Amino acid sequence: MKLLTIKIPAIAIVLLPHYAEAKPISYVGGVMAMQENDETGHTLSLDYTLSPNYAVGLYAKEEENGKHFDTIGPQLNTLIKRWNMPDGQANIFNMTGAGDSHYHGSDNFSAWSSILADYESRRVFTSYEIRGMYADHVETSVWQRARVGVAPYLANYDDLNTWFMVQVDDHPAKNQSFVVTPLVRFFYKTALVEAGYSSNHHVMLNWQWQF
């Protein structure tokens, strides 16, 4: 098994509110495609939202910056808790899946689970994610990621929205375990793309698309 990954710039369509981040659960009946390209590798996921609290999908990742292996399998996304406030929104999500990790010609059972908590308004954004990964005979790890961002101006849905963010990763299984990535995010109506350059000299390019 070998994942087909996209390693070139891409911009995708995404249905978003005024907030900064597309969620792992969208509107009921919606499909979301997301790709991330950063110092840990190349990730592609496709999710279908069943209800306001659950989405199912397919997760695939080509791991780099350490052992090089491919993982693919189904994933369940769950909205654990949401707080709607006059000027913002806070959420807690869980993403859990299981499948196959292919490494040096062998297939290995793998399972993963993560908790994502965020708070966002039209002006500020913060998030924290912790993720556990088990791939038999390949990797057992715990990874953490935090983000903080600010919008330099307040924009409406019909305007170009801009965010400046800093992302911090702590991934002990990687060769460079602690990485800081300044990034910029743009979205205009239904299009979102973000790009950055990490402290270990890797380009990060992410896009999301809901339809």
Side-chain angles (χ1 to χ4, degrees):
M1 179 196 70
K2 179 66 175 177
L3 297 182
L4 177 62
T5 60
I6 303 174
K7 300 183 181 180
I8 60 175
I11 296 178
I13 304 300
V14 63
L15 299 177
L16 291 173
H18 295 298
Y19 299 121
E21 180 91 349
K23 305 302 181 184
I25 296 174
S26 63
Y27 61 91
V28 176
V31 176
M32 180 170 67
M34 179 182 70
Q35 191 186 30
E36 298 181 348
N37 302 280
D38 58 26
E39 83 285 347
T40 69
H42 310 280
T43 304
L44 177 66
S45 62
L46 297 170
D47 300 296
Y48 175 78
T49 297
L50 299 170
S51 75
N53 295 90
Y54 296 99
V56 294
L58 181 68
Y59 170 89
K61 183 170 185 180
E62 179 183 21
E63 297 277 356
E64 294 182 348
N65 189 16
K67 290 184 177 179
H68 286 234
F69 63 96
D70 301 330
T71 297
I72 189 168
Q75 179 171 283
L76 174 67
N77 303 335
T78 304
L79 172 62
I80 299 174
K81 181 67 176 179
R82 170 167 289 163
W83 295 268
N84 290 308
M85 293 160 275
D87 297 322
Q89 185 184 92
N91 306 276
I92 300 176
F93 297 95
N94 172 256
M95 292 78 76
T96 297
D100 173 76
S101 289
H102 187 77
Y103 179 63
H104 283 182
S106 65
D107 293 308
N108 303 270
F109 171 77
S110 59
W112 55 91
S113 185
S114 64
I115 295 290
L116 169 65
D118 66 27
Y119 168 78
E120 53 187 319
S121 68
R122 292 178 62 201
R123 176 66 77 181
V124 299
F125 174 84
T126 59
S127 70
Y128 172 77
E129 183 176 0
I130 185 167
R131 178 184 178 88
M133 173 69 179
Y134 170 79
D136 191 24
H137 305 302
V138 183
E139 179 180 296
T140 300
S141 64
V142 176
W143 161 92
Q144 299 179 82
R145 169 173 289 173
R147 279 189 172 192
V148 60
V150 62
Y153 58 91
L154 294 180
N156 295 317
Y157 179 75
D158 291 331
D159 302 324
L160 175 67
N161 286 253
T162 304
W163 289 82
F164 297 112
M165 297 186 176
V166 176
Q167 175 177 294
V168 179
D169 287 275
D170 180 22
H171 200 323
K174 300 303 182 183
N175 291 332
Q176 295 88 29
S177 61
F178 187 82
V179 177
V180 179
T181 308
L183 64 107
V184 61
R185 168 182 290 171
F186 301 103
F187 67 89
Y188 174 68
K189 292 187 177 180
T190 59
L192 181 149
V193 65
E194 61 182 20
Y197 190 73
S198 68
S199 59
N200 64 342
H201 310 297
H202 282 74
V203 174
M204 185 197 75
L205 180 67
N206 302 334
W207 59 261
Q208 294 171 319
W209 180 14
Q210 290 184 15
F211 50 93

